[in-house]
Each structure stands twice: as C-alpha cells, then as structure tokens.
Amino acid sequence: MDPETEFLSSKRQTGNEWELFKENVRPLKRGRNVDLLNHALKAHTNDQLKKSLLENRRRLIEAIDEYQGDDPLQPWLDCIKWVQEAFPPGGDFSGLVLIYEQCVRAFWHWDHYKDDLRYLKVWLEYAEHCSDAEVIYCFLDANDIGKTHSAYYIAYALHMESKSKMKAANDILNLGISSNAQPIEKLRDAYKKFLARSMRRPNATEEELKEDDLPVRSFGTVLARGESQRQAIKTFELGRNKLKQDQVHRTPLSIYNDTNMDVTRGHHSKPNTGSNSWHTLGGRAERNKENNAMPAKWTSHKIPQRPVPRIVGAVASAQIEVFVDEECEEKPKVHDEKDRTSSLQLRELDGRNIKKETELLRENPLRNFPSNSLPR
C-alpha cells in the first residue's frame, strides 16, 4: 500500500484543512487565526461541528439582548467578529449580512455612536456586501454618521471611482480634506494616489461628456502635447453643435390660416352674406333672451343609475387609514430607553428564508429603515 492510500485509510487529521478549502475562504483585512480557520473548515465534513457552530452563534445573539453594560455596540462587534472567523466562506449561510443590517439599524439614531469609528467600520463592511453601496454612503451623509473620519471619505471616493465618476470622487476627497477628517495624513495620501490614477486614465468617457457637456480636468492633471489640441477641437465641436441646435430651435413656425378656404373645393370662397348673418346686435330684449327662462325645481329630474344587486345584511365599512406626517411622528427615545433589536428576529437566521432575506438586503440595504431616516 502506498503512503497516500495508507494516510487516507487511516482518516488522520493534519490540521491543515485550510489547504483543501482555501479558495472558498473570504479574506479579512486583519488576517485570520489558522487554528480557528482549521476548526471552522472542519464543519464542511462534520455535521456535529456544524451544529455546534450554529448553537454558538445563537448564544452570541442572545447575549446581545442580555447585555447590561454602557457600550451596547460591543456585543454586536463580538458577534460579527466571531461569525467572520467561524464561517470563512461568508455567503448566505453565515447570516453575516443580516447581522450587519441589524447592527447598523439598531444605532443609526444614537448620537453617541455617530462619530464612533467602530460603528462606521460596520457600515463600511455592510456596504461591501451590497450591489450598490452609493445608497449607504448617501445615508451616512444625510445622517452625519462617520463624517469626522477619513475612512468614510476614502471608501466613498473609491466606490465612485469604481463607477468611473472621477469628478465626484475628486470632490469627495476634497471635502474630506477641507473638513479636516482624521487622520488627515491618510486622507491626503489617498488623494495623491487618486490623482496619480486619474492621470493614467484615458480621456473622458462619453458618459462624463454627456453629464457636463464639456471636458473636465481634475486638479493636478497634465495634458500631453497632442492631447491639448484634441481637447480644444472637441470643445469647439461641442460648442458648434450646440449653436446649430439653438438655431434650429429659433426658426419661426409657419401657421396655416384657412379662414377663407373652401375645404371641399380647395379654393378661396367669398363670405356668405345670407339673411342669417349677424349684422346687428338687436334690441335689449333679444340680447337678454337667455335670462328669460324661469327657474324650476330640480327634484323632478332623475339621474339614471346602474342597477346594483342588493346585499342582504349590513356590510362593515372599510377601515380608513389615517395619514400621519413624517415630521410629526414621534422620534425614537435615545436617552430614556435603550433601543434593542429583538433577538427573535436574529434567531430566524437558522430558518429557510435566510437566503431570500440576504438577497433582498443586497439589492436594497435600507429596506427595513424608517422612511424619515432615508435621504431625500
């Protein structure tokens, strides 16, 4: 028997399970503990270990509601960190996206956490799992969350740059520098790298030209010798096309007048001077003849109605929904009562709807937030 067959038949464990599943492991910026990674990857082949992971996750979720300290965000962070380590592939089975959403929704109106870097990082990690993170960055901007940290502006600018919106990314980084977001050195270094990348990019795309009608140069870009001439020609052509469009719109419209045209014969006809023509206004009695009719009762006239089948017995009227203005709604209490997310909703992570809910959150990450918190 060869050594490989002997090893497989012995069913011994080497402790290097990550070598077999490393292509399915989601990388983390802080790195991973190899021992915890090997222990978590054994759940692919061990059903008992998989059940123990789910049970441990349930206990961490229950610990969130049972927390009585001064920092209710900490148990959420412990739960998120453990799920990232215990479920290396991530995906829908881990329930990480739902935990992100529950965490950020629990504290979005807490002034205490709006400048907390830990809370901002949860938002940024949540944005990485969404199909379009621009919705999240607009929400953070509208609610003044994390705007004192450079990480917010750097992540926002990188996302806009990935969508080829270079001017918006440039404005976001400039806004962060003017706001003195900390650490400012990290933000300035990110801005220098952004300018270097923008200089290596090709000319402005057609979408950017349609948005601004004229080519836009970011601060710090350098034009080549021939590029300056091509850009001047493009500017001249755009201006000439716009002038032609204005001239076309300024052309007067000819209005056809068929006052004296005979429609049936197709030629001009003489005005009719018959006896029925109105040459004189007549006397006062003729002019006021429309006021000669005497008023009568309207009860004698019946409006025709459609026959409706009668329903035996009284039918309860539909309930009328009362409109409540968003500005008049009672705001959630922040200092008097701690806003806790129900652990029952988080325990449903083990149900069958976890995949469907995760997909819905990826498409619309703010679907469970109140309407008065969304940017307008």
Side-chain angles (χ1 to χ4, degrees):
M1 184 181 295
D2 59 287
E4 183 178 358
T5 306
E6 183 180 1
F7 172 76
L8 294 175
S9 60
S10 63
K11 296 182 180 181
R12 288 181 296 173
Q13 296 181 355
T14 62
N16 296 326
E17 283 75 11
W18 67 274
E19 288 285 357
L20 302 176
F21 302 99
K22 58 184 177 182
E23 67 275 5
N24 297 325
V25 176
R26 186 181 181 89
L28 296 177
K29 294 181 180 179
R30 65 173 181 270
R32 290 184 179 273
N33 189 322
V34 179
D35 295 335
L36 294 177
L37 180 61
N38 290 328
H39 180 73
L41 291 175
K42 291 178 184 178
H44 287 274
T45 56
N46 192 335
D47 294 336
Q48 188 65 28
L49 182 58
K50 184 183 296 185
K51 292 180 181 179
S52 65
L53 290 177
L54 296 177
E55 184 64 27
N56 195 5
R57 184 180 64 182
R58 184 179 293 106
R59 287 196 297 267
L60 288 172
I61 292 172
E62 292 175 353
I64 294 174
D65 278 351
E66 297 173 357
Y67 183 79
Q68 300 293 334
D70 298 332
D71 188 10
L73 178 63
Q74 188 59 43
W76 285 97
L77 300 178
D78 296 338
C79 181
I80 291 173
K81 184 177 180 181
W82 183 87
V83 171
Q84 290 175 343
E85 295 286 352
F87 298 89
D92 300 340
F93 179 72
S94 64
L96 186 61
V97 176
L98 276 73
I99 296 177
Y100 279 139
E101 193 270 341
Q102 294 282 339
C103 177
V104 297
R105 184 156 52 93
F107 303 105
W108 69 269
H109 55 273
W110 284 48
D111 295 335
H112 177 66
Y113 288 119
K114 286 191 174 182
D115 292 330
D116 196 319
L117 183 59
R118 301 174 303 163
Y119 182 58
L120 175 63
K121 288 183 177 179
V122 178
W123 271 108
L124 299 182
E125 292 176 4
Y126 182 38
E128 293 177 357
H129 291 77
C130 301
S131 58
D132 187 7
E134 188 173 356
V135 180
I136 292 208
Y137 293 116
C138 292
F139 179 88
L140 297 177
D141 184 27
N143 293 276
D144 296 330
I145 298 176
K147 297 177 70 175
T148 60
H149 300 285
S150 61
Y152 163 74
Y153 299 96
I154 294 174
Y156 195 0
L158 288 175
H159 176 72
M160 300 305 289
E161 183 181 358
S162 66
K163 299 174 70 174
S164 298
K165 296 183 178 180
M166 305 300 293
K167 184 177 183 300
N170 185 73
D171 294 341
I172 291 170
L173 291 174
N174 282 325
L175 178 62
I177 294 175
S178 62
S179 302
N180 197 25
Q182 297 299 322
I184 192 64
E185 294 81 8
K186 184 178 180 180
L187 187 57
R188 288 173 178 168
D189 184 59
Y191 186 57
K192 291 179 182 178
K193 294 179 180 179
F194 167 76
L195 291 178
R197 291 193 301 269
S198 63
M199 291 171 61
R200 293 193 298 266
R201 285 175 60 91
N203 294 336
T205 59
E206 295 181 0
E207 182 180 357
E208 293 174 351
L209 292 177
K210 289 180 180 178
E211 291 178 357
D212 300 331
D213 290 335
L214 291 175
V216 179
R217 288 182 56 192
S218 301
F219 176 77
T221 56
V222 179
L223 297 179
R225 294 179 180 178
E227 187 177 356
S228 60
Q229 297 178 358
R230 290 194 299 270
Q231 188 171 7
I233 294 173
K234 286 183 179 180
T235 305
F236 175 75
E237 290 178 354
L238 288 173
R240 185 174 59 182
N241 294 335
K242 190 173 182 181
L243 180 60
K244 289 182 179 180
Q245 293 177 359
D246 294 340
Q247 291 177 356
V248 171
H249 291 302
R250 291 173 184 174
T251 304
L253 297 176
S254 59
I255 301 175
Y256 179 74
N257 188 2
D258 59 347
T259 305
N260 299 326
M261 175 65 71
D262 191 346
V263 179
T264 58
R265 298 182 181 179
H267 57 81
H268 292 277
S269 60
K270 297 180 180 181
N272 187 9
T273 57
S275 59
N276 294 331
S277 60
W278 194 4
H279 296 288
T280 60
L281 297 178
R284 181 174 296 180
E286 290 187 25
R287 295 199 300 269
N288 297 335
K289 61 183 178 181
E290 66 273 9
N291 298 327
N292 294 334
M294 298 298 294
K297 293 184 178 181
W298 291 2
T299 55
S300 60
H301 181 72
K302 293 184 179 180
I303 301 176
Q305 298 180 358
R306 296 180 181 178
V308 180
R310 295 184 179 181
I311 302 175
V312 181
V315 180
S317 60
Q319 185 178 2
I320 300 176
E321 184 179 357
V322 180
F323 174 78
V324 180
D325 193 353
E326 297 177 357
E327 298 179 357
C328 299
E329 289 181 352
E330 294 183 2
K331 295 183 179 180
K333 297 180 180 180
V334 178
H335 302 287
D336 299 337
E337 188 177 299
K338 184 163 60 175
D339 185 13
R340 295 180 178 273
T341 306
S342 175
S343 61
L344 179 61
Q345 189 174 1
L346 285 174
R347 291 192 190 109
E348 293 177 357
L349 293 173
D350 300 335
R352 298 179 180 178
N353 296 329
I354 176 176
K355 184 176 181 179
K356 181 179 179 181
E357 183 66 21
T358 301
E359 293 176 354
L360 292 175
L361 288 175
R362 282 175 176 166
E363 294 297 328
N364 185 9
L366 304 178
R367 61 188 300 268
N368 296 324
F369 278 71
S371 57
N372 60 350
S373 66
L374 303 178
R376 298 181 179 179

